[in-house]
């Protein structure tokens, strides 16, 4: 089955710097890759996603890139702000799981943005 | 406001007791999911349901049970057979034909 590895587990940056979180997946058939942000004591919130037919997607300060050949995808946050501090999860879903909507999650990255 | 609601936010259970976690959604979404989250780990799928009166086991279903009698509701029962039930439980839902899943705010279960 699908396996998703996420790095780093913790990331500390200065306000205004960029942050990059990387994930690799094992199932070459996976075609949907969402990123979730989870604040302390709350449920994960979908912040951006990408499908396998595109290589990059951007939404204001957040971007996601996908390299299907290498089977990895990354989250890029530019001009980080203290409110970006949270745990970020990547996930992957393959076509036969799409019907069930099953997502396989990475282990999470705790991002800390220092003012 | 449409959304997905989990209750209670915090739940304490004595060893040997069953406990039921509530998940309700008014988004008219077809599929619903239960995930378990442990510190330093990703979310692991317990059970999911794509339609009323049907559900499938996820990766860690042992010691849990669910029902889907209504489209809006997908309660999770943590039974006494679950050896390590202390965790943060998350419910999610998804509309048929879409891939995006939306999560509730979670229930933190502690065994005392």
């Amino acid at each position: 089955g699908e396996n998703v590895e996420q790095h780093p587990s913790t990331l500390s940056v200065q306000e205004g710097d960029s942050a990059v979180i990387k994930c690799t997946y094992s199932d070459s058939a996976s075609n949907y890759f969402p990123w979730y942000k989870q604040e302390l004591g709350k449920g994960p919130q979908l912040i951006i996603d990408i499908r396998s037919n595109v290589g990059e997607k951007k939404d204001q300060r957040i971007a996601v890139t996908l390299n299907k050949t290498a089977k990895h995808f990354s989250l890029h946050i530019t001009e980080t702000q203290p409110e970006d501090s949270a745990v970020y999860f990547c996930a992957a879903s393959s076509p036969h799981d799409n019907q069930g909507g099953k997502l396989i999650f990475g282990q999470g990255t705790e991002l800390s943005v220092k003012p | 406001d449409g959304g997905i609601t989990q209750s209670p936010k915090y739940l304490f259970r004595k060893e040997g007791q069953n406990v039921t976690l509530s998940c309700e959604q008014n988004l008219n979404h077809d599929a619903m999911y239960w995930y378990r989250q442990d510190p330093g780990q990703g979310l692991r799928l317990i059970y999911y349901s794509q339609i009323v009166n049907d559900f499938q086991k996820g990766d860690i279903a042992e010691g849990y049970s669910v029902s889907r009698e209504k489209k809006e509701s997908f309660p999770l029962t943590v039974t006494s057979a679950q050896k390590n039930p202390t965790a943060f439980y998350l419910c999610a839902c998804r509309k048929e034909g879409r891939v995006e899943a939306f999560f509730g705010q979670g229930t933190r279960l502690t065994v005392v």
Side-chain angles (χ1 to χ4, degrees):
Chain A
E2 175 66 281
N3 182 54
V4 178
E5 296 288 334
Q6 183 173 346
H7 299 280
S9 57
T10 60
L11 180 58
S12 181
V13 300
Q14 288 295 131
E15 182 177 1
D17 287 351
S18 294
V20 180
I21 302 170
K22 299 181 179 181
C23 289
T24 60
Y25 60 98
S26 60
D27 186 351
S28 57
S30 288
N31 63 352
Y32 174 63
F33 308 92
W35 285 89
Y36 286 85
K37 175 184 181 181
Q38 185 178 29
E39 297 177 342
L40 192 63
K42 296 185 177 181
Q45 180 183 14
L46 179 66
I47 56 172
I48 196 168
D49 57 15
I50 192 168
R51 288 161 175 76
S52 59
N53 57 346
V54 297
E56 182 174 0
K57 184 177 178 180
K58 190 172 182 180
D59 182 5
Q60 299 182 344
R61 296 187 296 109
I62 295 173
V64 57
T65 59
L66 172 65
N67 183 326
K68 287 194 297 182
T69 303
K71 290 190 285 187
H72 67 70
F73 56 112
S74 300
L75 177 71
H76 305 253
I77 306 175
T78 59
E79 301 173 20
T80 54
Q81 302 166 3
E83 50 265 39
D84 293 330
S85 297
V87 178
Y88 291 81
F89 289 97
C90 63
S93 178
S94 63
H96 56 268
D97 285 335
N98 285 168
Q99 291 186 348
K102 290 188 292 182
L103 295 170
I104 305 301
F105 285 85
Q107 296 84 353
T109 295
E110 184 174 0
L111 174 63
S112 176
V113 180
K114 300 187 183 305
Chain B
D1 284 339
I4 177 168
T5 303
Q6 292 185 240
S7 62
K9 189 173 177 67
Y10 299 97
L11 189 56
F12 297 88
R13 187 195 96 175
K14 293 183 179 180
E15 284 193 33
Q17 285 184 339
N18 292 356
V19 64
T20 297
L21 283 60
S22 170
C23 179
E24 304 276 336
Q25 55 97 2
N26 61 5
L27 299 168
N28 198 34
H29 284 190
D30 307 276
M32 298 185 74
Y33 309 83
W34 276 104
Y35 288 88
R36 170 180 171 140
Q37 185 177 24
D38 294 284
Q41 297 190 34
L43 285 65
R44 292 181 292 167
L45 183 64
I46 304 172
Y47 267 99
Y48 65 103
S49 167
Q50 295 177 260
I51 57 173
V52 174
N53 292 323
D54 188 47
F55 48 82
Q56 287 78 39
K57 293 182 178 180
D59 300 318
I60 55 166
E62 185 175 352
Y64 300 97
S65 66
V66 294
S67 63
R68 186 86 187 276
E69 297 177 0
K70 298 187 300 181
K71 187 176 184 178
E72 303 79 20
S73 179
F74 191 41
L76 174 73
T77 297
V78 184
T79 74
S80 56
Q82 170 50 236
K83 299 305 180 187
N84 186 20
T86 295
F88 191 49
Y89 290 87
L90 288 159
C91 180
C93 63
R94 178 184 64 87
K95 188 166 183 61
E96 179 67 26
R98 303 294 298 267
V99 291
E100 302 89 347
F102 298 94
F103 284 83
Q105 294 299 295
T107 293
R108 185 165 300 281
L109 173 65
T110 304
V111 174
V112 297

